[in-house]
Amino acid sequence: MDNMIATDLDRVRADFETSEFFRHLGLQITRLDEEDVELYLPYKQELDNVQSTVHGGVYMSVLDTMMGLKIRQLGFEAPVTIQMQTQFLKPLIGESMTARAALINQNRSTVLMEGKLYDQAGELIGYATATFKVSTTRK
């Protein structure tokens, strides 16, 4: 079973790390195992808005990607975002961010997720909940 899990997680990692969008943003998977998953986005000036803070669309993209990655880590396939509610708590100025996610609820065809973004000091800077349509589970 452990080999199966490792193989599935390796496939999930490859799916994300070969995504053009994932690479364009500069996302890095810093943890992906049976227990948890974490994303890291190094700061780059191209992600700033006109106020020289990281653009809110970047927050939303990282949160959406993080929750999708967590869904895949949990064993669901082909998550599609149906709805996402985002709260912007603190601007990010010239810093990297870390993202984490957790499952709130699930049924046969949808999952409700929460995603959180943290600055380099570990302070919460953004929060989202989202509903995803999913297909079959592999676990």
Side-chain angles (χ1 to χ4, degrees):
M1 183 71 175
D2 286 340
N3 285 342
M4 183 67 149
I5 290 171
T7 302
D8 285 343
L9 291 177
D10 289 342
R11 182 174 54 84
V12 169
R13 178 183 290 275
D15 287 350
F16 279 81
E17 290 181 345
T18 58
S19 158
E20 289 294 327
F21 183 72
F22 190 93
R23 290 172 25 195
H24 176 73
L25 278 181
L27 285 165
Q28 301 169 13
I29 297 173
T30 52
R31 181 173 181 186
L32 176 58
D33 56 40
E34 312 76 70
E35 301 300 317
D36 208 2
V37 61
E38 182 178 273
L39 278 179
Y40 174 76
L41 182 66
Y43 172 74
K44 54 183 178 180
Q45 192 171 5
E46 299 92 318
L47 301 178
D48 283 352
N49 60 26
V50 296
Q51 298 172 4
S52 298
T53 63
V54 175
H55 192 283
V58 174
Y59 279 50
M60 293 181 78
S61 292
V62 174
L63 285 163
D64 187 46
T65 302
M66 178 66 240
M67 290 183 285
L69 179 59
K70 180 68 178 178
I71 289 168
R72 293 284 308 277
Q73 179 259 348
L74 290 171
F76 295 96
E77 293 293 334
V80 176
T81 311
I82 297 172
Q83 172 275 0
M84 184 169 149
Q85 175 71 36
T86 307
Q87 302 295 317
F88 303 95
L89 306 175
K90 181 182 169 190
L92 192 62
I93 304 167
E95 288 185 48
S96 61
M97 66 173 70
T98 301
R100 295 187 190 92
L103 176 71
I104 297 173
N105 192 40
Q106 72 180 72
N107 64 34
R108 286 186 318 161
S109 61
T110 62
V111 294
L112 177 61
M113 300 295 295
E114 70 173 0
K116 294 181 178 179
L117 288 179
Y118 300 90
D119 64 13
Q120 290 174 193
E123 290 186 43
L124 189 64
I125 60 169
Y127 177 86
T129 55
T131 304
F132 293 80
K133 182 162 180 34
V134 294
S135 13
T136 59
T137 60
R138 64 175 188 270
K139 289 184 182 177

